[in-house]
Amino acid sequence: MTPGLMQTAPLSTTAILRHGAANHGRRQIVSRTVEGDIVRYDYAQLARRAERLAKALKDLGVRPGDRVATLAWNTHRHLELFYAVPGLGAVLHTVNPRLFEGQIGYILRHAGASVLLFDPSFAATVDRLKDQVPDLRHFILLTDEAHAAPGAVGALCYETLLAAQTPGFDWPVVDENAGAVLCYTSGTTGDPKGVLYSHRSIVLHAMAGGLSGAFGLSAHDVIMPCSSMYHATAWGLPYMALINGCKLVLPGDRFDPPSLHSLITGEGVTFSGGVPTIWTMYLAYLAEQGASPGRLNRVVIGGSAVPRVMAETFKQRYGVTVLQIWGMTETSPMGVVATTTPDLDDLTEDERDDVIWTRQGRTQFGIELKIVDGSGAELPRDGQASGALLVRGPWTLRRYYRGERDVVDAQGWFDTGDIATIDAAGFMRITDRTKDVIKSGGEWISSIDLENVAVGCPGVRIAAVIGARHPKWEERPLLVIEPHDGHVLTRDAVLDFLRPQIARWWTPDDVIFADIPLTATGKIDKKRLRDTYRDHLMEQPAPRDAPVAQTQS
Ligand code: ADP
């Protein structure tokens, strides 16, 4: 080979920090703290505080490769850790505080973290966890002296540690393939598994995320991550913000609609992102209050399928474009984003919306997708054939943290556990997760498609469809609905709403009205629903509806 003659400076989170401070130094960061007040500063000050923090952690004995854990919400202090810890060559381990305490203990032990930084609201949890995690040597409360209470763990105070340092730090050169951020999957299918992002994967993912074929970020944007910083780095937004010079608004621990609305309108937020449940509540709030979302013009929604009615309402009522994304912790998490392409130019606006709103996204450079059948043979990209979705690329995982072997095949393909179609323009549509798919009389029924229609029924707040055991058809769809407050819905009204929009044999065998449990990442907890209702149709062997034909109509 003839070696290229270009520079090989490693891609690193420190390079992002330096760029943000040097070129967008006065851009604001607005953070709602867990104590409730609003903190304002800028990228130049962020860099100075990250330097002090790095020095403080080094003084506590943090060395390259060490894991430094957080139990923290979306605040400026957490942001400082996003840069200081990887900048030292150590690994920031963001723990999801919504998990059960037993799982949090398991994750901390598995990761072997030596330092834990936590918001004051988790003090009692940390006191209880302390003895389960013997490797933890230092505890630091993410607060100031006025709010610090050392508790049983004798926690140090974050602001006191920073104040004791001077700014200025000679950041080490870190290998771009070194581990930077460790994030565990939510554990709905067994023990949580660790995904260890490298500096390189973080930088490439964050660069790609800002492109116009993805989030289309610019220095004129004001972005507010409503996905949690502990969950796959809030979709990379804390890094994308500095790369693109966007003003960054951090909502702390308050994701309720009034709190979000005051930041969206007060700070001029143009771009936000989060799981559908957050936006369901926010849209209901806007409608109740007769309010408008100010300058907001793009909302990225993913983590589970975006109901069509949500995208429609955002666009038609508020002029806000919904960008659906699909991804998972294992893909950093951005996989595909639903943006338009000249391939759709010949369509009417309605037809174009229809494509964009019913697809999870279009393949971006940096992530390759393919679908395969049961024998592993690749299926055509015709928008019809559906099969197991495999992905690969420089920000897709190769092996879980402390795993003994790679979880990709010899060509680097990772099986996502999703079932999808892909079309010629690169649009991918998830039809189900492998474990959620309903197999009725040998045919597949898409729970996602059914949920998408059901959630459009007036009065429905959340709709979940699971496969319930059935004496004749193995499984039949069962629809569980959580209505909006004050709405009274009947089974027949819901089924009448569904019928004209779905194949007849997809009609759910029953409708249950109940509170729908969510997972620690805000998704419908299908596992719990299945545990509760799996035998619902067996208990009622004679469904009130006439048996449905097992042929597609
Ligand atoms: P995490 O969100 O922590 O990665 P999961 O592994 O449970 O946890 O989430 C990834 C899964 O979420 C994907 O494999 C897919 O099933 C689902 N998902 C994410 N985005 C979408 C979307 N836009 N539409 C449908 N499903 C989605």
Side-chain angles (χ1 to χ4, degrees), residues 202-249:
I202 287 175
V203 172
L204 293 174
H205 173 264
M207 286 174 78
L211 297 176
S212 56
F215 300 168
L217 297 175
S218 86
H220 296 285
D221 274 314
V222 178
I223 69 180
M224 179 164 81
C226 292
S227 48
S228 309
M229 287 172 72
Y230 55 73
H231 187 208
T233 68
W235 303 355
L237 289 172
Y239 296 116
M240 293 177 201
L242 270 76
I243 289 178
N244 296 285
C246 316
K247 173 175 166 183
L248 182 61
V249 181

Side-chain angles (χ1 to χ4, degrees), residues 375-521:
S375 70
E378 185 164 0
L379 292 164
R381 293 167 176 253
D382 58 7
Q384 298 297 321
S386 76
L389 177 67
L390 311 190
V391 296
R392 68 176 177 188
W395 58 84
T396 298
L397 117 154
R398 175 168 58 83
R399 181 184 294 205
Y400 288 104
Y401 185 60
R402 293 180 51 193
E404 277 165 15
R405 60 185 70 83
D406 289 355
V407 289
V408 295
D409 70 15
Q411 285 75 43
W413 291 103
F414 172 72
D415 187 342
T416 64
D418 287 326
I419 313 281
T421 64
I422 304 176
D423 71 16
F427 281 104
M428 183 273 279
R429 192 168 78 85
I430 300 276
T431 54
D432 235 315
R433 299 193 84 168
T434 316
K435 61 183 188 314
D436 292 341
V437 80
I438 300 162
K439 293 183 201 84
S440 181
E443 301 282 345
W444 283 8
I445 295 175
S446 163
S447 63
I448 292 188
D449 285 354
L450 274 176
E451 285 159 6
N452 212 342
V453 178
V455 86
C457 176
V460 172
R461 191 170 127 95
I462 313 178
V465 175
I466 56 162
R469 292 201 307 131
H470 190 277
K472 178 163 181 196
W473 303 114
E474 296 151 60
E475 279 183 349
R476 288 294 303 154
L478 179 66
L479 174 58
V480 188
I481 280 181
E482 182 177 312
H484 277 297
D485 290 344
H487 281 262
V488 179
L489 285 163
T490 63
R491 173 183 183 275
D492 289 343
V494 172
L495 293 181
D496 286 347
F497 176 85
L498 293 183
R499 278 194 188 95
Q501 306 184 62
I502 57 173
R504 188 164 160 266
W505 64 279
W506 281 33
T507 311
D509 277 30
D510 203 0
V511 183
I512 290 171
F513 298 96
D515 286 343
I516 293 188
L518 300 180
T519 66
T521 51

Side-chain angles (χ1 to χ4, degrees), residues 186 231 302-305 324-329 360 416 418 433 448 523:
S186 37
H231 187 208
S304 29
Q324 171 151 205
I325 62 165
W326 165 90
M328 56 203 313
T329 305
Q360 265 59 34
T416 64
D418 287 326
R433 299 193 84 168
I448 292 188
K523 300 180 194 193

Side-chain angles (χ1 to χ4, degrees), residues 205 208-216 235 240 271 298-302 321-327 333-341 355-357 359-365 367 369 395 425-428:
H205 173 264
L211 297 176
S212 56
F215 300 168
W235 303 355
M240 293 177 201
F271 179 98
R298 275 126 62 232
V299 180
V300 183
I301 310 181
T321 302
V322 166
L323 299 167
Q324 171 151 205
I325 62 165
W326 165 90
M334 190 183 63
V336 298
V337 186
T339 51
T340 190
T341 142
V355 172
I356 301 275
W357 291 343
R359 311 292 190 272
Q360 265 59 34
R362 194 160 53 80
T363 316
Q364 310 292 312
F365 176 72
I367 192 134
L369 309 181
W395 58 84
F427 281 104
M428 183 273 279

